[in-house]
Amino acid sequence: MENILDKLGIELNEQTRLTSESTFSFNCHSGLSCFNTCCSNLDIVLTPYDILRMKKLLGLSSAEFISEYTEPVIQKESKLPFLKLKLGEEGKCRFVAAEGCTVYGDRPAACRYYPLGFGIYKNEQAGDDFYFLIKEEHCKGFGEEREWTVGEWRKNQGIDEYDDMNRVWMEVILNKKLYSPELEPDEKSLKMFFMASYDLDAFRDFVFESRFLDVFDIEEERLEMIRNDEAELMLFAHQWLLFALFKKPTMNLKQA
């Protein structure tokens, strides 16, 4: 988080750190001269739910979407492999058109948050999550009269659903940062994290076509849910990651 704030030139203090009740003025629409400008020179890390929504919209498999629209990056703090949006010519988002975002209803969480930034304390005892404003010189949206609280903006942009669906995955990352920040994950752990985070098709095969169900005791009702609902499969994958990487009691082993 410190690196992001430094990059943006933001010093986190009582004035810049926002809560859900904090207010700000902002509005984005096609009548602004800067419309679509924020969709260039991006560095958007994609969450598992981002990829699930967009690949489904585009009718692609996980592997097809990952290959066509993402590029890998190792996150410095956690040393885990993430995926970020692959940009097109001149650094523009490949989903933006003159009229705006062509995947707007399924756009990534980072796009929904903008112009807010979001932070999570590494120390579990430090307090609640926090927000901050990203004020870029080119953006005319801050000159608009529409006023929001942070909570109102989150609701208007559909952020709560995205955060809820990514919550367990974020717990995986936080556990890595808290308990083994200097540990370089081995190749097996990296492959496990990548598959369960991003490649749902491969994870489905792992569950149903390996010895997985001989090892783990999964209720039949839950099996049907993860077999037929990709969102449930994704959540199950993240729970398995907590068990596999950190021995959290999120899974039950079958009795020998």
Side-chain angles (χ1 to χ4, degrees):
M1 176 54 61
E2 290 80 5
N3 292 336
I4 296 175
L5 292 172
D6 289 344
K7 184 177 179 181
L8 294 171
I10 298 174
E11 180 181 351
L12 198 63
N13 53 44
E14 291 185 1
Q15 285 72 43
T16 58
R17 185 172 55 241
L18 308 179
T19 70
S20 61
E21 301 302 319
S22 300
T23 60
F24 64 98
S25 295
F26 181 81
N27 196 18
C28 181
H29 54 83
S30 60
L32 296 176
S33 61
C34 63
F35 188 62
N36 284 345
T37 305
C38 59
C39 301
S40 298
N41 301 313
L42 304 167
D43 192 15
I44 294 183
V45 174
L46 298 171
T47 70
Y49 193 55
D50 291 338
I51 291 178
L52 185 156
R53 290 283 294 260
M54 287 193 288
K55 84 177 188 71
K56 185 175 181 179
L57 176 70
L58 298 172
L60 301 176
S61 68
S62 298
E64 288 170 337
F65 182 88
I66 290 168
S67 175
E68 179 67 22
Y69 292 106
T70 76
E71 53 186 339
V73 59
I74 298 297
Q75 208 266 347
K76 291 183 179 179
E77 289 184 297
S78 66
K79 299 179 173 61
L80 292 172
F82 288 5
L83 290 175
K84 67 177 183 178
L85 194 65
K86 184 190 296 183
L87 301 179
E89 295 180 2
E90 300 179 356
K92 292 182 179 180
C93 175
R94 294 163 68 190
F95 297 116
V96 70
E99 65 274 15
C101 179
T102 60
V103 295
Y104 188 78
D106 296 278
R107 66 199 183 281
C111 302
R112 292 169 184 270
Y113 264 104
Y114 188 84
L116 290 176
F118 171 65
I120 301 176
Y121 289 104
K122 284 192 204 176
N123 186 336
E124 292 176 321
Q125 306 302 317
D128 295 330
D129 304 334
F130 61 91
Y131 309 89
F132 52 92
L133 277 180
I134 302 172
K135 282 194 171 184
E136 299 177 286
E137 291 185 4
H138 66 75
C139 182
K140 309 299 183 183
F142 291 101
E144 299 288 291
E145 295 182 357
R146 180 68 161 91
E147 186 173 88
W148 311 83
T149 65
V150 169
E152 288 170 343
W153 181 258
R154 285 178 56 91
K155 183 177 181 180
N156 180 269
Q157 298 296 305
I159 293 171
D160 287 345
E161 177 184 352
Y162 275 68
D163 282 358
D164 286 344
M165 296 301 292
N166 288 312
R167 196 170 306 282
V168 180
W169 185 69
M170 293 299 297
E171 186 178 345
V172 172
I173 298 167
L174 184 60
N175 269 269
K176 176 63 174 70
K177 290 180 179 180
L178 284 174
Y179 303 123
S180 53
E182 302 304 321
L183 179 65
E184 292 282 352
D186 59 26
E187 184 177 356
K188 181 180 179 181
S189 297
L190 291 173
K191 287 182 177 179
M192 287 166 50
F193 177 82
F194 188 88
M195 175 183 66
S197 295
Y198 302 117
D199 196 343
L200 279 181
D201 299 320
F203 183 75
R204 183 187 294 105
D205 291 344
F206 173 60
V207 172
F208 292 107
E209 297 183 17
S210 73
R211 294 190 60 253
F212 188 96
L213 297 179
D214 295 329
V215 176
F216 293 100
D217 186 13
I218 314 298
E219 294 180 357
E220 191 61 37
E221 182 179 356
R222 187 75 190 281
L223 277 177
E224 284 303 305
M225 292 173 66
I226 65 176
R227 186 180 279 114
N228 299 307
D229 187 328
E230 279 197 317
E232 290 293 337
L233 178 66
M234 183 195 74
L235 294 174
F236 181 79
H238 300 166
Q239 291 173 337
W240 173 75
L241 270 181
L242 281 176
F243 175 89
L245 297 180
F246 305 107
K247 305 304 179 187
K248 298 289 184 179
T250 55
M251 307 288 290
N252 294 320
L253 296 171
K254 283 189 173 180
Q255 298 298 318

